[in-house]
Amino acid sequence: MNLLASRIDLVLQHTHVFLDQLNLPSRDEYITAATAAFHDVRIATSSSWKLAYLTFRPMFILLGIITHCLVVILQVIAKHSVAHGWVAAKEGYLQLRTATVWFLQFQRGLPPSAKYAEVGVVSLLMTLWLLRRHVQKYRYAERTVAWYNKKKQQMLDWYHGVVEKVAKTSLFLALMLPHVLYIIAVVAIKRLFPSVLTYLATRTYLISFISLWRPLYLTFSVIGRLTYNLCSSEQDDSKEAALTTPNKKQTTFTPSQIKQQQKQLEELEDLREETIDLLKYWVVYAILSAIFVSGKLMPFIGTILNTTGVDDAASTTTLPSWFRSKGAGMLGKLRLTSRFVEEVRLVFFVWLCLMPVSLTGSDTNGNVSKFKSEKMINNHRPIDTLYSKLSPFAISAMNSSAFVAKTISDKTDSSFFAGLVRKLQSLLDVAVMVRLISESTKNAIVTIIVESSALLPAAVTLFMPSYFTSFGVIYVSLVVPAGYSIHSYNAITRTTLNLDNLVLKMEESSRYLQFWVVSAAFSALLGCFAPLLAWIPLSTHATWLVWAYIQMESSTRKVYSLIEKELVVFGLLRSYGEIANSSVDDTIVVRSAKKIIAALPSNVEPKKIEPKETQSEKPKQA
């Protein structure tokens, strides 16, 4: 027990020593500190509340004012809505009752025949509604379409078999069979329904739609999508250049990059096919227009082709005596009527734009026929046939040193003009080296000289009378663009599947597509002002100069961007870029209209603003 008591005393001593080391505060000291802390917390809380109150007091006051206003507005709206709603309900009930009474009285006053007719109409409508539900339930429309497609496929299979049999005898006859059928159909329509063809050719805009508006719409669409794809490829190239270091080029690509490049290549391939077709059409259209317009300017051929003043109701052999000029002779009797010319144009453009090489194109299994490979099909369409026959004429007309200058980068070109341009390039390189001009200025000078050189054969006509200048206008506006379009066509058809090379060639081709759009717009403008220009001296020479200006690449792209902006802003054309963000007030049409309205005389006299000195002197004088 003594040992246990000693141990307990020892533990108590150690406990007292430990408590002394902890230096615990006394009760009075702890109470004093707690009182001071509570006092400080109370003061801090009071000051914080005061600060928050002063800070948020304006907001709470504003919120209260807004809430009060909303409550007042809602009370007014509810009061008037309920009152007016009750009045409207009462008036509606009275009107419905009046209408019902009037309708019943009206029905009682009708004769029995009218009542039976009304019952018949209601029954008919109910029957049609039930028939519609019955047709939708048993899918009669889909079954009819399937039956039509089946019969159509059977007819196409029969035609395909006939073509195969003819092809075994003669491939030429097999390819000519659709055209022969088209001619037979046109002759049958002309013999059975002569007024139909005449009406479509002379009373409608079908010719303009097929020959001009449809190709223009397709050209706008291709240019827009092509520009969008070219911009996307340039942005991708810039991103790749920014990610790669200058000393280390990216040689490997991720699967996503490879897939994106393949997609861009496929889109560009589709655009290339559409561009090729459009370039072919515009070349054929330009060459045919040049031939026709040149023929109308000829002394003897123009007498036949000129349909101005010819009576459509009269035949070509019974022209009035005043119309037959003394110098025309027998040719005056052969003048074509405008009705006949329009009918021929309609038949020709339908054949050119809408006639395929065959009516089927593939057999029932979806495989291309043995005698119609893809290359053969593409080479025997009407547009391809005319392009292959007419493009050599444009190339021969452009076969000068000026046209060869387009290939001045080729060192094997030994023509005089190409050598002259190379020497000029050398001089300009020296000027760039000594910093007299910039590189962009040098490229602009060379481009202008090279593009202007193609106009040299027609420049001689500027110093001749207007009759000869008209041939120069035809050369500048139709032959030169056709030659450059043929050059661009050859470039994109021979381009390999390299993406960079294809992008470069397609960008160059877009310039010529843009030119044909600008050419159509300018031709329409000249056609509107032709009677006025005929009385202005040297108007033909001025037209020659304007066409020469439009030929330049910078001019073509600038004018096309203006036309595209006008059409996109007014909603007539789909936008593939940033033009859609433009305002209507920025268009040339709206600005011109505002200027014309501002220039018109007004009945309202403008207020005269007196100077400040005069206004301050009037009270003093009074």
Side-chain angles (χ1 to χ4, degrees):
M1 293 296 292
N2 293 330
L3 180 60
L4 180 60
S6 62
R7 294 293 184 184
I8 292 173
D9 291 337
L10 182 59
V11 171
L12 290 175
Q13 290 176 3
H14 284 293
T15 301
H16 287 296
V17 172
F18 178 71
L19 291 176
D20 292 337
Q21 289 179 355
L22 289 178
N23 196 12
L24 294 175
S26 61
R27 181 173 177 276
D28 297 334
E29 185 180 359
Y30 187 80
I31 291 173
T32 303
T35 304
F38 178 77
H39 179 70
D40 293 339
V41 169
R42 183 176 62 81
I43 294 174
T45 304
S46 177
S47 60
S48 300
W49 169 254
K50 187 175 181 180
L51 177 63
Y53 174 75
L54 294 175
T55 303
F56 295 102
R57 182 174 61 183
M59 298 178 61
F60 287 122
I61 294 173
L62 179 61
L63 183 61
I65 294 172
I66 294 174
T67 305
H68 178 71
C69 294
L70 289 176
V71 169
V72 173
I73 293 172
L74 291 176
Q75 288 178 352
V76 174
I77 292 175
K79 180 180 178 181
H80 289 278
S81 298
V82 172
H84 289 288
W86 175 251
V87 173
K90 289 175 62 178
E91 292 181 355
Y93 170 73
L94 294 176
Q95 291 178 2
L96 179 62
R97 187 180 65 177
T98 304
T100 305
V101 172
W102 173 85
F103 180 75
L104 293 176
Q105 293 178 355
F106 175 76
Q107 290 295 327
R108 290 176 181 177
L110 290 177
S113 59
K115 295 179 181 180
Y116 293 147
E118 288 183 353
V119 173
V121 170
V122 173
S123 302
L124 179 62
L125 293 177
M126 292 293 297
T127 305
L128 292 176
W129 180 72
L130 293 175
L131 181 63
R132 177 176 175 271
R133 291 192 60 185
H134 182 74
V135 169
Q136 290 180 348
K137 181 179 179 180
Y138 292 97
R139 304 175 64 87
Y140 286 113
E142 291 79 0
R143 291 163 63 181
T144 304
V145 172
W147 175 84
Y148 169 75
N149 292 331
K150 181 180 178 180
K151 294 299 181 181
K152 178 182 177 182
Q153 188 63 39
Q154 291 177 357
M155 291 296 297
L156 292 178
D157 293 340
W158 174 80
Y159 171 77
H160 185 75
V162 173
V163 173
E164 289 284 354
K165 293 179 181 179
V166 174
K168 293 179 181 179
T169 305
S170 174
L171 180 60
F172 177 77
L173 291 178
L175 293 174
M176 289 297 296
L177 186 59
H179 309 289
V180 173
L181 293 177
Y182 176 72
I183 295 174
I184 293 174
V186 171
V187 173
I189 293 174
K190 184 61 179 175
R191 296 292 297 176
L192 299 176
F193 310 100
S195 59
V196 174
L197 188 62
T198 304
Y199 178 81
L200 293 176
T202 59
R203 300 296 182 180
T204 63
Y205 295 97
L206 186 60
I207 299 176
S208 300
F209 174 78
I210 296 176
S211 63
L212 185 61
W213 299 115
R214 178 177 172 271
L216 279 179
Y217 174 77
L218 296 176
T219 305
F220 272 118
S221 177
V222 170
I223 293 173
R225 289 183 286 134
L226 182 59
T227 304
Y228 178 77
N229 280 274
L230 294 179
C231 293
S232 300
S233 61
E234 290 179 359
Q235 291 178 359
D236 295 338
D237 294 340
S238 61
K239 290 180 180 179
E240 292 178 2
L243 293 175
T244 55
T245 57
N247 298 328
K248 184 178 179 180
K249 295 184 178 179
Q250 184 178 1
T251 56
T252 60
F253 298 94
T254 60
S256 61
Q257 291 177 341
I258 296 175
K259 186 177 180 180
Q260 186 177 3
Q261 288 184 355
Q262 291 178 352
K263 184 178 179 181
Q264 290 181 356
L265 188 59
E266 291 176 358
E267 292 177 354
L268 285 177
E269 279 296 320
D270 296 338
L271 289 173
R272 179 168 71 168
E273 294 179 0
E274 296 181 18
T275 304
I276 287 173
D277 292 337
L278 288 173
L279 286 176
K280 282 183 178 181
Y281 176 79
W282 288 120
V283 167
V284 172
Y285 185 84
I287 296 176
L288 291 178
S289 299
I291 294 173
F292 185 75
V293 177
S294 300
K296 291 179 70 174
L297 293 176
M298 296 296 180
F300 302 104
I301 301 177
T303 306
I304 300 175
L305 297 179
N306 190 7
T307 60
T308 304
V310 180
D311 186 10
D312 292 337
S315 62
T316 55
T317 57
T318 59
L319 292 174
S321 59
W322 58 266
F323 190 75
R324 302 174 187 175
S325 58
K326 296 180 180 180
M330 291 298 297
L331 293 178
K333 301 179 181 180
L334 298 177
R335 294 186 65 178
L336 305 175
T337 61
S338 59
R339 181 182 63 185
F340 176 77
V341 172
E342 293 299 321
E343 291 177 355
V344 171
R345 287 184 61 201
L346 177 61
V347 173
F348 172 76
F349 280 109
V350 170
W351 172 77
L352 179 65
C353 301
L354 305 179
M355 187 67 187
V357 67
S358 177
L359 296 180
T360 56
S362 59
D363 56 14
T364 56
N365 297 324
N367 300 321
V368 180
S369 180
K370 295 180 181 179
F371 72 91
K372 287 188 297 180
S373 62
E374 183 178 359
K375 183 177 180 181
M376 184 177 296
I377 290 175
N378 292 333
N379 290 334
H380 287 84
R381 294 181 303 174
I383 188 69
D384 300 308
T385 304
L386 286 181
Y387 178 82
S388 62
K389 300 297 181 181
L390 296 178
S391 57
F393 291 100
I395 292 296
S396 61
M398 294 285 293
N399 190 16
S400 61
S401 58
F403 185 64
V404 177
K406 290 290 291 181
T407 59
I408 56 176
S409 58
D410 188 6
K411 301 300 181 182
T412 60
D413 189 3
S414 59
S415 62
F416 171 76
F417 191 84
L420 185 63
V421 172
R422 292 195 192 97
K423 291 180 180 180
L424 178 62
Q425 278 186 328
S426 302
L427 294 177
L428 293 176
D429 288 334
V430 175
V432 172
M433 187 180 300
V434 298
R435 297 185 178 180
L436 289 177
I437 59 174
S438 61
E439 185 70 22
S440 60
T441 305
K442 170 226 171 184
N443 294 331
I445 294 174
V446 174
T447 302
I448 291 174
I449 292 175
V450 170
E451 293 182 353
S452 301
S453 62
L455 309 178
L456 289 178
V460 183
T461 59
L462 279 175
F463 305 98
M464 297 182 180
S466 298
Y467 174 77
F468 299 99
T469 311
S470 300
F471 291 96
V473 171
I474 296 172
Y475 182 85
V476 173
S477 61
L478 296 173
V479 179
V480 173
Y484 283 145
S485 299
I486 295 170
H487 177 76
S488 177
Y489 165 80
N490 295 332
I492 60 177
T493 51
R494 297 171 185 171
T495 303
T496 59
L497 295 180
N498 186 9
L499 183 60
D500 297 333
N501 193 14
L502 183 59
V503 167
L504 182 62
K505 298 300 181 182
M506 292 297 292
E507 185 177 5
E508 182 181 357
S509 299
S510 66
R511 173 253 178 114
Y512 300 108
L513 292 178
Q514 291 177 0
F515 170 80
W516 292 117
V517 174
V518 175
S519 174
F522 186 65
S523 299
L525 187 65
L526 287 178
C528 294
F529 292 97
L532 180 62
L533 294 176
W535 293 90
I536 299 177
L538 301 178
S539 59
T540 309
H541 300 75
T543 305
W544 192 102
L545 295 175
V546 174
W547 279 114
Y549 171 76
I550 296 177
Q551 291 290 330
M552 305 300 172
E553 181 177 2
S554 59
S555 305
T556 301
R557 296 191 183 277
K558 182 178 180 181
V559 176
Y560 176 81
S561 63
L562 294 176
I563 297 174
E564 184 183 22
K565 181 179 178 181
E566 299 290 316
L567 296 177
V568 168
V569 171
F570 284 103
L572 301 177
L573 188 66
R574 182 181 176 183
S575 174
Y576 294 90
E578 299 178 354
I579 306 179
N581 299 326
S582 301
S583 175
V584 180
D585 296 332
D586 298 334
T587 58
I588 299 176
V589 175
V590 175
R591 286 185 294 176
S592 302
K594 288 183 178 180
K595 290 182 179 179
I596 293 173
I597 293 173
L600 293 176
S602 177
N603 193 24
V604 180
E605 297 182 357
K607 296 182 179 180
K608 297 181 179 180
I609 301 176
E610 299 180 355
K612 295 182 179 180
E613 296 180 358
T614 308
Q615 294 178 359
S616 60
E617 290 177 358
K618 283 185 178 181
K620 294 180 181 180
Q621 294 176 0

